[in-house]
Amino acid sequence: MKSVLITGATGDVGTHLSRELAGKYKLRLADKRPLKAPKGQTFMRADISKMADALRITKGVDAIVHLGGYSVEGPWDAILKANIIGAYNVFEAARRNGVKRILFPTSNHAMGFYRRDQTIDHRSYPKPDSRYGVSKVFGEALGSLYADKYGMEVFMMRIGNVNPKPIDKRRLSLWFSPRDLAQLVSIGIDRPGIKFEIVYGISGNKRAWYDNSNAARLGYQPQDDSEIYAAEVLANEKPSGDAIAEAHQGGVFCSAEEVPNPAAASKTTKKPVQRRSRHA
Ligand code: 15L
């Protein structure tokens, strides 16, 4: 069984992913916040803005899914530390520890200033919508460098929105169900011959703004489509009055200076995040 490190394991995407992949890989979870790992998984507390921590957690694994970082638009200092320095440390630590395969969740916000009437694919050039989006473009460039210069195997997923259900009109185009996330990540871990690939991390949504043929070429067959939720979601949608947000794929990231950070609320939590094993 392959051993896989998931950084940022206490976050939303990390929580869905480690639950979905339990039993398929030997999971090592890492985060700067505490976590009580389910049976059969291990947890290492680490701050990836420190190279020593990045070296410690990446040692001896077969693949890394690097989810750790600041996950929305916010203050530059926080993004610099978590997403620029943190991403560099994880790629560099992987190289030094001889870990070849790395999966990086870039984001729809690397491309957020494309309009909603445009369809883009893996060859489209970045149009970030925020400092956060810029940090994701940095991660894509870093991955490209480490693939070309050091022969690392790099799988870039421009993730839409991971949620059990799509939560609004914009997310009908970007929805990524947890089981489709697990399928795409498994392709990134197991598919032989990956050098550097960019795919979109979304389900098979009828309303997608992406041509995800590169993911299909690599074997991705999404099981979900947001369309079954469309009527319910659209019935609850209220006009925002934000013309820039509504015209562009990145939504409010295109107009706001800050977006609420989902990690902020739990930062004050002293107790480790309790996670129930799917086998419990
Ligand atoms: C992202 O990149 C964020 O990490 C996530 O929290 C959501 O805001 C998502 O994009 C989105 O666009 O819905």
Side-chain angles (χ1 to χ4, degrees):
M1 191 186 275
K2 286 184 184 159
S3 59
V4 175
L5 165 68
I6 301 178
T7 68
T10 71
D12 274 357
V13 180
T15 303
H16 287 300
L17 187 63
S18 55
R19 184 194 63 240
E20 295 288 324
L21 296 184
K24 184 165 188 190
Y25 305 106
K26 203 169 149 220
L27 296 181
R28 178 188 296 171
L29 311 178
D31 205 295
K32 75 179 192 185
R33 292 183 290 155
L35 170 73
K36 192 167 182 317
K39 220 170 144 216
Q41 301 176 15
T42 53
F43 174 70
M44 293 173 89
R45 196 149 180 199
D47 176 355
I48 52 155
S49 68
K50 297 185 182 127
M51 180 59 95
D53 280 17
L55 283 166
R56 185 167 52 84
I57 60 173
T58 54
K59 208 178 178 80
V61 292
D62 297 307
I64 298 167
V65 186
H66 174 41
L67 301 177
Y70 199 89
S71 66
V72 284
E73 179 60 325
W76 172 242
D77 283 353
I79 288 169
L80 173 67
K81 201 169 157 203
N83 295 10
I84 304 284
I85 298 172
Y88 175 78
N89 286 348
V90 170
F91 273 91
E92 178 58 15
R95 181 182 78 81
R96 289 195 213 165
N97 279 328
V99 184
K100 279 194 91 166
R101 182 68 61 113
I102 182 156
L103 286 72
F104 184 81
T106 163
S107 168
N108 69 88
H109 297 290
M111 315 300 283
F113 261 115
Y114 281 96
R115 293 191 321 273
R116 294 188 185 188
D117 59 7
Q118 291 175 292
T119 301
I120 58 176
D121 70 8
H122 57 289
R123 289 163 300 211
S124 304
Y125 61 85
K127 277 171 88 59
D129 56 24
S130 48
R131 292 174 284 268
Y132 166 70
V134 169
S135 75
K136 292 298 182 180
V137 178
F138 171 81
E140 293 186 10
L142 192 65
S144 176
L145 172 71
Y146 274 71
D148 288 337
K149 197 161 186 175
Y150 304 115
M152 281 177 54
E153 301 170 343
V154 180
F155 193 69
M156 291 283 161
M157 299 168 289
R158 288 183 181 150
I159 292 187
N161 185 253
V162 178
N163 248 312
K165 285 173 167 194
I167 52 175
D168 58 17
K169 185 177 169 210
R170 181 175 156 269
R171 270 62 168 243
L172 288 173
S173 301
L174 294 171
W175 183 51
F176 198 16
S177 72
R179 66 177 173 172
D180 285 340
L181 163 76
Q183 185 197 145
L184 192 64
V185 166
S186 297
I187 290 169
I189 293 170
D190 293 326
R191 172 129 185 155
I194 299 275
K195 293 194 188 315
F196 177 82
E197 298 292 348
I198 294 180
V199 297
Y200 287 90
I202 57 165
S203 287
N205 305 326
K206 183 173 160 238
R207 294 169 190 248
W209 297 311
Y210 307 138
D211 165 356
N212 210 6
S213 50
N214 199 37
R217 183 183 65 80
L218 296 167
Y220 179 50
Q221 294 183 317
Q223 291 177 274
D224 292 306
D225 178 346
S226 63
E227 205 53 26
I228 60 164
Y229 301 104
E232 183 191 336
V233 167
L234 294 174
N236 291 323
E237 185 82 5
K238 309 227 170 1
S240 68
D242 182 340
I244 292 177
E246 289 192 9
H248 295 97
Q249 298 181 5
V252 74
F253 283 61
C254 296
S255 50
E257 287 304 319
E258 278 200 32
V259 170
N261 179 0
S266 39
K267 256 185 203 152
T268 50
T269 309
K270 291 225 174 60
K271 275 182 26 200
V273 179
Q274 295 278 342
R275 184 97 42 88
R276 268 201 306 156
S277 158
R278 71 167 5 177
H279 306 296

